[in-house]
Amino acid sequence: MPREYIPDPRCKRHKWHEPESINKALILIQQGNSIRSVAKTTEIPYSVLQRYYKKYKINNNVVVNNIGGQTTLPESMEKTLVTNIIKCADWGYPISELELRMFVKYHLDQIGCNVKRFKNNYPGMDWVKSFLKRHKDRISQRMCQNIKRSRAAVSKNIINEYFDNLSQTLEGVPSSNIINYDETNLSDDPGRKKVICKRGAKYPERVMNQSKSATSVMFAASADGQLLPPYVIYKSAHLYDTWTEGGPPGTRYNRSPSGWIDGQLFLEWYTKIIIPYCRRLNGKKVIIGDNLSSHLSNEVIRLSEKHSIDFIFLPPNSTHLTQPLDVAFFRPLKGAWRNVLENWKICSRNGKMAASINKDCFPSLLKNTLCKLVTKNGENIKAGFEKTGIYPLNRNRVLNMLPPDTENDNSSINDISLVSENLTTFLKESRYGTPDTTKKQRKKRLKVQPGKSIKGNDFNISESEDDPGEENFNEADTPVDNEMIVNEAKEDQQSSSSNSINVGQMSNIIIKNNIKEGTWVVVKYGETKKLYFVKIIQILQKGELYEGSFTRSSNFSSSYNDETKDPIYIFPDIIDFYTFKLDAIVMIVPPPKSLRRGRMQFTVKLSDIINSI
């Protein structure tokens, strides 16, 4: 299907008649006048009236089609598509041309309609171009910018509450006494630019040094369009005199290790820039800015009270809507900065060879940038205060930039019939998010030895939630409890006639009731029933089945009968995890003494346990 129909100039062009004139002519024919006489009086061809009158006698209604080819989809369906597209864009989820084609296919498949012009009900790019052209009065294509979910979560309730407080604070305050401040950075990158090159070149390049460095500048402006002197912050440990020469009049310079403003620099900016300006003003003064913690201190509050200055903090994550400098000043400022920086890198001898902006040249570049905006500075600043609804005070300027609230807006009743409630609910959840009812668990710091592998039990949370200070407390890891268990077995042993520790004295009931994850036990394992020191890793089935990490002797010869030397044990390089039953556990032992390089030494010898069995 062609995007635009071009008629053949040799063919006869038929005149298109308005639907109102045809309906009036059909009414005259219905009243008893002949078709030929009506055709003469209305100047509508006889054949046209005759054709429409046949349809009129059948349906008592006439639909006059547009001249030329007709649209593939009905007009009502296209209007519904336009409404859906606008709704998605208002909620921050605009669709692209591809998504529009996919949505049309999905809709046609759902209603069971098969369009012959579309292959498998999938419209082509020509249809999309024609669709956008037909509805260019309502929709158009634009480049979009991404915003964070935290910024998208700013609702009308937050904005209304902000303006309720703002209206009380700004009552009777002139425009010259309303000041907005914000910090931005000027980078060492002139950006991309269209150039003339060989036809077909995909990746044209331009030789020009650039870097990712940037210099922070604090700007402040009043609602009457006056720009206060800037405050430059270099990223450096020291400040040199050549870095402060040739800048805009009244500019202050400072430095910080991070290159951004902190509490001390903000205090100096406040005392050197804001206070001198406010001293010349009469009456109440208002300072508006974002709610960074570094922007407020006891000294700033004291100075504000002394000079009758009120601080107003903007709602969190709303500076793209409520910050005048962000809305209307910083974009033309950075555009002018890129032009000045590009000219400096091309024309200046120092700029051609410099790897990045020399701090000696930054003041003069900043001065040239502000000179380019000197004729528009006042207009841009005033437009920013007006766009954000601060001066003149108008909250609707900000509310109109938020998605419409279909629940409280009576003017959107007709749109509800076109846009389904499911779509609106989905867009609300996507923009504002759903409340998380699940209880969030605090992260635990793992006490894992360097080089030791981590298993799932290292992330277990203590069952006790009453005392947060004992969340990482594990009774099985304390030697006191295990020694108590061994002592209980020894007391049972002393009550009998035997002096050795055997399996009979430490019964399965004692082991089952006192064994926990992290407990050290002696296990007889394998066909030879060899004894091992094992650390319980996981209780698979309480009282029946356990999983443990087995140790081995650090010296490869058997040390069971060596009574002169205490054997040393370690975990093997490839950790041995095995499962065993309760009957395989001989006894519970105290945790070993930790030695260097992951070695361990137990107070109980396996040779003593073997002799007692």
Side-chain angles (χ1 to χ4, degrees):
M1 181 177 66
R3 298 182 183 178
E4 185 176 355
Y5 174 72
I6 301 177
D8 190 347
R10 298 170 297 178
C11 298
K12 182 179 179 180
R13 299 297 304 275
H14 297 279
K15 182 180 179 181
W16 185 76
H17 303 279
E18 296 289 340
E20 292 81 5
S21 60
I22 292 180
N23 286 327
K24 290 180 180 179
L26 293 177
I27 292 174
L28 294 176
I29 297 173
Q30 189 71 18
Q31 292 176 356
N33 299 318
S34 64
I35 299 177
R36 194 170 297 278
S37 62
V38 173
K40 291 181 180 180
T41 56
T42 58
E43 297 182 354
I44 299 176
Y46 173 83
S47 59
V48 175
L49 292 178
Q50 187 179 31
R51 182 173 66 253
Y52 279 113
Y53 184 65
K54 289 181 180 179
K55 298 179 182 179
Y56 184 78
K57 288 193 297 182
I58 298 175
N59 301 324
N60 292 328
N61 188 19
V62 175
V63 178
V64 181
N65 296 327
N66 295 327
I67 191 171
Q70 306 303 312
T71 59
T72 304
L73 300 180
E75 184 179 359
S76 59
M77 185 180 294
E78 287 198 353
K79 289 182 178 180
T80 305
L81 286 175
V82 173
T83 306
N84 282 318
I85 292 172
I86 296 175
K87 177 67 68 174
C88 292
D90 288 341
W91 284 94
Y93 292 90
I95 63 175
S96 61
E97 292 182 349
L98 176 62
E99 291 167 336
L100 174 61
R101 297 164 63 192
M102 295 173 63
F103 178 75
V104 171
K105 173 178 171 53
Y106 173 78
H107 178 69
L108 294 176
D109 293 341
Q110 289 295 317
I111 64 177
C113 180
N114 186 17
V115 179
K116 294 182 179 180
R117 289 188 180 181
F118 297 158
K119 184 177 181 180
N120 295 328
N121 279 347
Y122 189 73
M125 287 300 300
D126 289 337
W127 179 87
V128 175
K129 299 296 183 184
S130 301
F131 175 81
L132 295 176
K133 184 177 181 180
R134 284 193 298 272
H135 302 281
K136 62 182 180 180
D137 58 331
R138 297 189 62 190
I139 56 176
S140 62
Q141 287 183 300
R142 290 289 186 273
M143 293 293 293
C144 67
Q145 60 180 356
N146 301 325
I147 63 172
K148 296 182 179 179
R149 287 188 175 272
S150 58
R151 289 180 177 266
V154 177
S155 62
K156 290 188 175 182
N157 295 332
I158 297 175
I159 298 300
N160 282 324
E161 183 180 357
Y162 159 69
F163 273 98
D164 290 341
N165 300 327
L166 185 66
S167 59
Q168 299 177 5
T169 307
L170 296 183
E171 186 176 359
V173 180
S175 60
S176 59
N177 293 17
I178 303 175
I179 303 170
N180 174 236
Y181 68 89
D182 195 16
E183 182 183 10
T184 188
N185 64 335
L186 301 178
S187 63
D188 180 26
D189 186 5
R192 303 174 63 184
K193 189 176 182 179
K194 284 186 177 182
V195 296
I196 301 174
C197 58
K198 180 182 177 181
R199 182 178 181 85
K202 293 184 178 181
Y203 307 106
E205 296 178 346
R206 178 175 60 168
V207 179
M208 182 176 293
N209 290 333
Q210 63 170 349
S211 65
K212 295 183 179 180
S213 63
T215 303
S216 301
V217 183
M218 175 71 86
F219 287 97
S222 59
D224 61 349
Q226 183 176 355
L227 182 67
L228 275 66
Y231 187 80
V232 180
I233 305 169
Y234 294 113
K235 183 179 181 181
S236 175
H238 305 282
L239 186 66
Y240 299 93
D241 55 350
T242 56
W243 298 0
T244 63
E245 298 173 354
T251 304
R252 304 285 300 187
Y253 302 88
N254 211 323
R255 85 288 177 278
S256 68
S258 63
W260 292 96
I261 197 166
D262 53 20
Q264 190 65 28
L265 296 182
F266 184 83
L267 178 60
E268 186 190 5
W269 167 81
Y270 193 74
T271 56
K272 301 298 183 180
I273 302 295
I274 297 299
I275 297 299
Y277 174 79
C278 293
R279 283 175 180 171
R280 302 192 299 266
L281 304 176
N282 298 324
K284 180 181 177 181
K285 280 79 69 176
V286 176
I287 306 295
I288 303 175
D290 47 19
N291 57 346
L292 289 179
S293 59
S294 61
H295 291 176
L296 195 62
S297 62
N298 295 332
E299 186 65 21
V300 172
I301 295 175
R302 188 187 64 81
L303 291 174
S304 301
E305 294 176 350
K306 180 179 179 181
H307 295 88
S308 301
I309 301 174
D310 286 355
F311 250 98
I312 295 180
F313 285 148
L314 300 173
N317 304 312
S318 68
T319 55
H320 63 295
L321 300 173
T322 57
Q323 183 86 277
L325 294 179
D326 266 352
V327 171
F329 180 71
F330 283 159
R331 182 169 182 175
L333 170 71
K334 294 190 176 182
W337 165 258
R338 284 191 290 267
N339 293 334
V340 171
L341 181 63
E342 182 181 1
N343 293 333
W344 179 72
K345 289 180 176 291
I346 294 176
C347 302
S348 174
R349 181 177 179 181
N350 296 331
K352 287 182 179 180
M353 306 306 297
S356 61
I357 300 178
N358 194 338
K359 293 182 175 63
D360 297 341
C361 303
F362 182 83
S364 59
L365 295 178
L366 179 61
K367 181 179 180 180
N368 296 335
T369 302
L370 296 180
C371 289
K372 281 182 170 293
L373 296 175
V374 67
T375 57
K376 297 183 178 180
N377 270 346
E379 298 177 2
N380 293 334
I381 294 171
K382 290 180 182 179
F385 278 91
E386 181 184 0
K387 182 68 174 179
T388 55
I390 296 177
Y391 191 88
L393 192 64
N394 184 9
R395 69 180 66 193
N396 292 327
R397 295 285 288 170
V398 180
L399 293 176
N400 292 337
M401 292 187 283
L402 295 176
D405 190 358
T406 57
E407 295 178 358
N408 301 327
D409 191 2
N410 295 327
S411 63
S412 62
I413 294 178
N414 296 329
D415 292 340
I416 295 177
S417 60
L418 299 176
V419 183
S420 63
E421 293 185 5
N422 293 334
L423 176 61
T424 305
T425 304
F426 168 76
L427 293 174
K428 283 186 177 181
E429 293 179 355
S430 300
R431 184 178 180 93
Y432 298 133
T434 54
D436 189 5
T437 57
T438 59
K439 184 177 180 181
K440 295 184 179 180
Q441 298 178 349
R442 290 196 303 173
K443 294 181 179 181
K444 308 298 178 184
R445 183 176 180 180
L446 300 179
K447 296 182 179 180
V448 182
Q449 297 178 1
K452 181 181 177 183
S453 61
I454 302 175
K455 288 185 65 67
N457 62 288
D458 294 328
F459 296 86
N460 288 343
I461 301 174
S462 174
E463 297 178 358
S464 175
E465 296 180 358
D466 297 333
D467 188 5
E470 297 186 4
E471 291 176 347
N472 295 330
F473 178 75
N474 190 352
E475 295 179 355
D477 290 338
T478 59
V480 178
D481 293 339
N482 292 335
E483 290 177 355
M484 180 182 66
I485 297 170
V486 176
N487 292 334
E488 289 179 357
K490 290 183 177 180
E491 291 176 359
D492 294 338
Q493 167 199 355
Q494 293 174 359
S495 62
S496 62
S497 57
S498 176
N499 292 328
S500 60
I501 302 175
N502 54 39
V503 182
Q505 274 88 37
M506 184 168 285
S507 62
N508 289 344
I509 298 177
I510 297 177
I511 296 175
K512 180 174 66 174
N513 293 337
N514 294 278
I515 196 168
K516 298 179 181 179
E517 294 180 357
T519 304
W520 285 90
V521 296
V522 177
V523 176
K524 51 183 179 180
Y525 196 82
E527 298 179 356
T528 60
K529 304 297 182 182
K530 188 176 180 180
L531 299 183
Y532 296 90
F533 287 114
V534 180
K535 183 178 182 180
I536 301 297
I537 299 300
Q538 187 177 4
I539 301 176
L540 302 177
Q541 191 173 357
K542 189 172 182 180
E544 295 186 10
L545 194 61
Y546 304 89
E547 181 183 11
S549 177
F550 283 63
T551 62
R552 66 172 179 84
S553 177
S554 62
N555 44 0
F556 296 95
S557 61
S558 178
S559 302
Y560 294 150
N561 298 325
D562 188 356
E563 298 180 357
T564 61
K565 181 180 180 182
D566 292 335
I568 305 299
Y569 296 89
I570 60 173
F571 286 111
D573 295 336
I574 300 177
I575 306 298
D576 293 334
F577 292 107
Y578 293 102
T579 58
F580 47 85
K581 296 183 179 180
L582 177 65
D583 298 337
I585 300 176
V586 176
M587 64 181 299
I588 299 176
V589 297
K593 179 182 178 181
S594 297
L595 304 177
R596 297 176 59 188
R597 298 182 180 178
R599 295 179 297 175
M600 298 170 289
Q601 186 177 16
F602 291 88
T603 57
V604 181
K605 296 182 180 181
L606 291 180
S607 58
D608 296 339
I609 300 175
I610 292 175
N611 295 332
S612 65
I613 298 177

